[in-house]
Amino acid sequence: MMLTRPLIAALLLAAAGASLAGREDLLKVAPDRINAWRAVADATVYGRGDGIVDIYNGGYEVYTRAGVTEALRRMYAQGDRYVEVTAHTMTSSRAARSFLADRYRLEMKAAPPEGQFKRFAASGSGSTTAYAVEGRYFLTVVVYGQSEAARNQALGFVKVLEQNASRLR
């Protein structure tokens, strides 16, 4: 029985360390500054496993079933403009690509392009969302607006996140 307590303590410490490491990696994908954009104070939410319920307003099970193990959501500001970023760690790069294809089918109402594709953008309900994958990271950027400028902004922002994620491999 005495051996059990140290073993449990070691397992709990290892789990806490893995959670901290995961959060730190996601903060490298979505750092405090991205070009002239700054993360809004107190607008960062991190969740792991069922804890991602704090990030999604319902429907988080879609993400966990798809292979999301943790996620970090941040709001960025530049003057009076805002961008919302969510970086997800998936169980594998295959799960990330599969989830991107699912999002494409849902948003575009069509089959995804043949071969490997890494990103796309879709507009609706007053916003534009860019979706992308880099390795085992699934990334989203929401820009408030539906213009071509909003689309370009979302895609440009998500490309920076992709570059950041590529450094974590």
Side-chain angles (χ1 to χ4, degrees), residues 60-92:
Y60 80 96
E61 297 91 350
V62 169
Y63 292 84
T64 55
R65 276 196 302 270
V68 172
T69 58
E70 61 190 336
L72 179 89
R73 174 166 287 161
R74 296 193 102 172
M75 184 71 71
Y76 289 86
Q78 183 184 43
D80 63 349
R81 299 182 316 166
Y82 293 89
V83 172
E84 182 180 285
V85 167
T86 309
H88 308 80
T89 304
M90 307 289 290
T91 54
S92 67

Side-chain angles (χ1 to χ4, degrees), residues 108-121:
M108 307 304 278
K109 310 290 189 245
E114 290 294 322
Q116 296 284 333
F117 77 106
K118 290 185 66 144
R119 80 186 68 81
F120 74 97

Side-chain angles (χ1 to χ4, degrees), residues 125-146:
S125 301
S127 66
T128 299
T129 304
Y131 300 88
V133 294
E134 180 59 47
R136 65 189 189 114
Y137 296 98
F138 176 77
L139 310 163
T140 63
V141 173
V142 179
V143 173
Y144 302 100
Q146 290 182 239

Side-chain angles (χ1 to χ4, degrees), residues 18-61:
S19 179
L20 181 60
R23 184 177 192 279
E24 292 304 313
D25 280 350
L26 290 173
L27 284 168
K28 290 175 185 172
V29 173
D32 290 340
R33 288 189 68 158
I34 295 181
N35 299 326
W37 294 82
R38 291 181 184 254
V40 175
D42 300 322
T44 298
V45 181
Y46 170 80
R48 183 174 184 84
D50 287 342
I52 69 169
V53 71
D54 295 334
I55 293 176
Y56 299 102
N57 188 13
Y60 80 96
E61 297 91 350

